[in-house]
Amino acid sequence: MIEVRKPTMSLGRTASDPDRSPKAVATKGSVVALDARLEQATLYERQRALRALLKCPLLSADDSHTTEFGLVRRYAAWLRDWFARNLDWKLQVDGETARLRKTPADLADGTRPARDSKSAAPFTRRRYVILCLALAVLERSDRQTTLGRLAEEIVAATRADSALAAAAVTLDLANFDQRRDLVQVMRLLLEFRVLVRVHGDEQQYLHEKGDVLYSVNRPALAGMLNVKRGPSTITAGPLDECIFAMVEEPVPNTDDARNRRLRAQLMRRLLDDPILYYHALDDSERAYLTSQRGRLLREIEQATGLIAEVRREGIAMVDNRGDLSDVALPEEGTDGHLALLLAEYLADHVRQDGGMPVGSAALYRHVADLIAQHRSHGRKAVADAGAEVTLTDHTIDRLAALRLVQRTSDGVIPLPAIARYTLRDADDPASESEDTTQDFLGEEA
Amino acid sequence: MSDSTTTNGRLKAFAYLNAEKACLYRAVMRVFTDAKARFALHLRPQEIVEALVATDEAVSLDEASRLDPENIEAALNQLCEWGNLASHADTTDVATVEEFYRPRHLFQITRSGEAAEQALAVYRRALRESGELQAAALSDIRALLGELVQSAALGEPDEAKVHRTLSLLRTRFGELTSKAQTFIGSLQRTIDLHEKDVQAFLSYKETLIEYLERFIGELVLATADIAETLQKLDTSRMDNLLRIAAHRDLTDAVAPTDEDHAAAIATWHTRWDGLRRWFINAPDRPSQAEILRARARSAIPALLSAVAGINERRINRSDRSADLRTLARWFAATDSDTEAHRLWRAAFGLTPARHLRIDQRTLDERDANPVSAQESWLTSPPLCITPRLRKSGRYTRRGRPNHVIDCTEEKARLAQAAAAEAAQTEAARRRLATGRRMQLSEIGELDPAAFDLFLDLLGEALTARGHRNKQIETTSSDGAICIELTPTGNGRCAIIKTSIGYFRGPDHFVVIQDRFAPGGDDSRSSAPSAAEGGDAGTALSCEVGS
């Protein structure tokens, strides 16, 4: 009779067998295999929850991220601990929302704007001002409010504030564009679940035909602002100082605390930014990274599923699942295609000429060539005359956002990491003939 | 209302409250009311002025209402015109000629004036008074109704007692309703306006909930009881009692007419109906007690939501609003949109992460040939990018999707093959499973399908058989065919010819029958088994040879 370790895993042979150990090993092996599978499933789910939080730091229960929110709630304790230990970021999970308070490590990055959900257009300065004023007004409002009432109060707030009047920021509700700004701010607030629409439609308000009733979600409202020091306690000065004062966390003067801060800063950069270049680090950070690199990267790889690409110039955590980044390369679509082709061109440059700048004129010419070549695959607007200038600018913005190039006054300097996108010999168009007979997806997307 | 007391529907008696010199008029009227309390009916202007000066009224009067005789005279005349005061000629003796020619009047407060002042007093008192939910009143009402029942039972009830009971009932009941109304009204206002500060409100909430629960409990019990008692007092007896009460009301009237009597009876009926409606449900509308109960009950959740609102407000730090305003100013002061995006990211922390992509093929390649950490990006192998992505910007081919492959022909062929096989097995079974007892040597020749079946059955039987010479009866593995095998023991050898060779073995008697064929079970032939002693057991063997 076989000694059964776990009831579900017994092999159930009734014939007696003198040599017991192979069967016992087989039983144990199955047990171990099951445990490993469970653990792997847990690991995968935790990775998924973490990635969801990195992509959308404010998750809520009833929108497109319901499953991810469920996972975040399930692993809330582990996630909270992980973020606090490694990155010094606070995670707040309650019944309806999960908020990861992401303090950025790189304060000079201006490539991640708030975006309008419908048109993906970045916010302008005036929209940001309206957003802050709307939040300030909502703090003092009751549980329900309408768009009309909010608009009036924002207008009153702009008038009452001398600094805003001096900067000529006003909200004129008779102007269609300004009303559209207001409506887009409201849409952003709806997306973050600060407001919940009860009745009405913003389009109607835009055309001055109706009003919208909202109810205010106070915990989400309280969770929007994420600063260590309130801006009202900081004296005004140049923007850099203001930003730094807002997010600065004082560090106790012990070695241990300093090391922890170094580690947190490095991990924040690795997790949030696409590429960490060594030349951007200072000496203490570099020393820490050199000694702790293996451990740091292993921790990140295991927790998020990102893979470390370590080179002489820096480290890039790359993503093979495609659900983590707002902008990525390679990507599908006209913009992604153009970015890929331009990256190829610049990669060739950098491999031959090193870090020499490439002038704008050369870029525009090349993009015009590319458009002529690939016109059939892109959007209609691509073929307009003069489109290459805007397209080039847009694409260079995209590449700069991914830290692959650096903008200068007259062109770009390609950075080393762009050499990843060089055209391989094996991938040249001659090998395309095999492609026309195959119909399945080329790569795991 | 008679016409002399109204102009355009406005009551003249109250006009002095909103007139220009309202302070003076009100002061004068108060003097008169105070005098009335002292039972002094008539006042001279001089006395009025003295009284005004004596009290502190002069302090609160403004310039327009200065206390000189003309002003006072004018005010008194106006009040007479409005009907609050009445003037009579003053017939007392005077000392001088001027005084004789000056018009002298005595003033007296009229009934409407008095009523107006009393109304004012009630108004002021009502504003100050706080409401109550009187559970005690309910028990009083119950007791009084009990007495009424007793009186109604008598043939000749005591008039005074009936009247007293009904009057008391009326007053108690009136108090209950008005106080309950005040209470519920003030409760609503308290909840709405957060008149108390937070701590007091929270402790008040506890006492209030207790209070409401106590009252609601009492109300429920009392209502049931009272409703029952009211049912006992049916209409005919009540008519009698009410008539008695009305009659007694008018005993002290000066000259009661029949109309007065009828009016009094009608009044009492109305009051009684009101009482009934308060406690008894009608089919189309709930009783007032129900409504009061519902309102008291709904006050509790309203209260709790007000507390929740207070708690919500606690989540805010009051300076967050100032923070956001400062932030708005900073946004307005930024130089460009890029700077604004920096501020957005730093202040709100709601931006997504960003990473480069990689695909599985490149990863596999890197696993096979790892790249060292010291190697530069410029010299390490680049990403694998599919040609299609590079050419068209998409992973999938654009255009029509592929056709679905049509497999009907193949399916038909497979179906045919399966049918043929099934037919073969059926034929084999019919050939073998006859149910007749036969010797193996009699079988002769078997086609391949039948031979397969035969071998299966033989195999089943032989494995199940323990001892060589025993008779064995067993079924095939699917239980459809039953085989009985008995060695003949005569040493003969059975040979069966098949397409692949000859099958040899000791002869046996065999009965094969199909359990599910109709009439299968009872077709055993009864040839005697020729089992003799001898142990001629050579094993069954199959030689395949041609």
Side-chain angles (χ1 to χ4, degrees), chain A residues 43 47 65 70 101 123 142 147 204 227 255 265 271 275 319 353 411 424 438:
Chain A
L43 189 71
Q47 280 179 1
H65 302 287
R101 292 184 168 276
F123 265 31
D142 296 329
L147 186 46
Q204 298 277 332
V227 289
D255 276 341
Q265 288 285 97
L271 266 191
I275 304 176
D319 167 32
D353 300 338
R424 278 175 163 223
Q438 287 173 353

Side-chain angles (χ1 to χ4, degrees), chain B residues 33-336:
Chain B
T33 344
D34 291 342
K36 183 81 188 298
R38 281 195 320 265
F39 309 113
L41 294 174
H42 301 271
L43 287 177
R44 289 197 180 78
Q46 195 55 38
E47 289 162 0
I48 295 170
V49 172
E50 278 165 23
L52 279 175
V53 168
T55 62
D56 282 329
E57 298 299 337
V59 180
S60 61
L61 292 177
D62 57 2
E63 272 306 305
S65 337
R66 267 191 345 267
L67 286 178
D68 54 353
E70 284 107 29
N71 241 345
I72 301 287
E73 288 276 329
L76 289 170
N77 286 332
Q78 184 61 47
L79 282 170
C80 290
E81 211 183 289
W82 279 326
N84 295 84
L85 298 176
S87 69
H88 308 280
D90 191 355
T91 51
T92 52
D93 291 343
V94 288
T96 66
V97 174
E98 293 87 7
E99 277 181 37
F100 188 79
Y101 282 118
R102 197 182 308 144
R104 296 187 310 276
H105 292 278
L106 276 179
F107 292 95
Q108 177 192 18
I109 191 166
T110 55
R111 268 182 41 193
S112 53
E114 206 177 319
E117 276 296 308
Q118 275 175 355
L120 259 188
V122 167
Y123 173 73
R124 275 198 289 265
R125 206 172 45 232
L127 280 189
R128 273 199 309 269
E129 139 190 294
S130 64
E132 295 164 358
L133 292 174
Q134 295 180 318
L138 287 172
S139 54
D140 281 351
I141 292 175
R142 248 196 296 201
L144 289 170
L145 281 176
E147 281 186 26
L148 263 187
V149 169
Q150 282 177 351
S151 307
L154 301 173
E156 287 285 333
D158 180 7
E159 286 187 8
K161 187 158 176 230
V162 165
H163 183 249
R164 199 172 48 238
T165 319
L166 281 171
S167 303
L168 263 178
L169 195 60
R170 196 186 86 206
T171 30
R172 237 27 202 110
F173 193 64
E175 265 181 41
L176 170 70
T177 36
S178 61
K179 292 220 166 196
Q181 197 173 357
T182 321
F183 181 79
I184 297 283
S186 74
L187 185 63
Q188 203 54 45
R189 261 177 284 131
T190 311
I191 291 173
D192 286 343
L193 300 178
H194 305 289
E195 273 168 305
K196 323 244 179 210
D197 70 286
V198 178
Q199 271 315 110
F201 186 71
L202 290 175
S203 54
Y204 167 75
K205 162 195 90 156
E206 295 290 335
T207 35
L208 179 64
I209 291 182
E210 236 182 81
Y211 185 73
L212 284 172
E213 281 178 353
R214 191 164 47 93
F215 179 73
I216 291 175
E218 287 277 347
L219 183 61
V220 168
L221 291 174
T223 311
D225 215 14
I226 291 173
E228 213 184 297
T229 320
L230 283 175
Q231 302 289 21
K232 280 195 221 150
L233 292 168
D234 58 7
T235 33
S236 56
R237 294 199 203 166
M238 270 326 292
D239 278 347
N240 194 17
L241 291 177
L242 292 175
R243 213 172 18 84
I244 295 174
H247 184 70
R248 199 160 163 87
D249 262 347
L250 293 172
T251 43
D252 291 326
V254 175
T257 59
D258 284 336
E259 283 149 13
D260 291 335
H261 273 286
I265 294 179
T267 322
W268 274 107
H269 271 283
T270 323
R271 289 186 194 132
W272 186 250
D273 272 339
L275 185 72
R276 281 182 69 97
R277 256 202 302 261
W278 225 86
F279 289 104
I280 298 182
N281 278 325
D284 56 341
R285 51 154 182 76
S287 65
Q288 290 295 316
E290 274 295 318
I291 297 179
L292 180 62
R293 188 166 137 215
R295 288 208 58 194
R297 242 196 345 231
S298 69
I300 297 182
L303 188 61
L304 291 175
S305 64
V307 174
I310 290 180
N311 275 338
E312 274 180 359
R313 268 170 219 269
R314 273 214 201 129
I315 294 178
N316 309 336
R317 279 177 290 121
S318 56
D319 55 1
R320 193 179 290 133
S321 189
D323 281 345
L324 285 162
R325 263 188 260 268
T326 320
L327 208 53
R329 268 177 243 136
W330 287 0
F331 271 118
T334 52
D335 298 324
S336 66

Side-chain angles (χ1 to χ4, degrees), chain A residues 30 43 54 148-149 151 179 183 199 202 223 259 373 399 412 438:
Chain A
S30 325
L43 189 71
L54 283 178
R149 172 80 58 84
R179 272 208 312 283
V183 162
H199 186 75
E202 281 91 14
N259 276 343
Q373 228 181 351
L399 291 176
V412 293
Q438 287 173 353

Side-chain angles (χ1 to χ4, degrees), chain A residues 393-413:
Chain A
D393 286 336
H394 192 67
T395 314
I396 293 293
D397 281 339
R398 209 184 165 93
L399 291 176
L402 285 167
R403 304 281 177 86
L404 295 171
V405 298
Q406 194 179 340
R407 262 189 191 281
T408 59
S409 51
D410 181 46
V412 293
I413 299 182

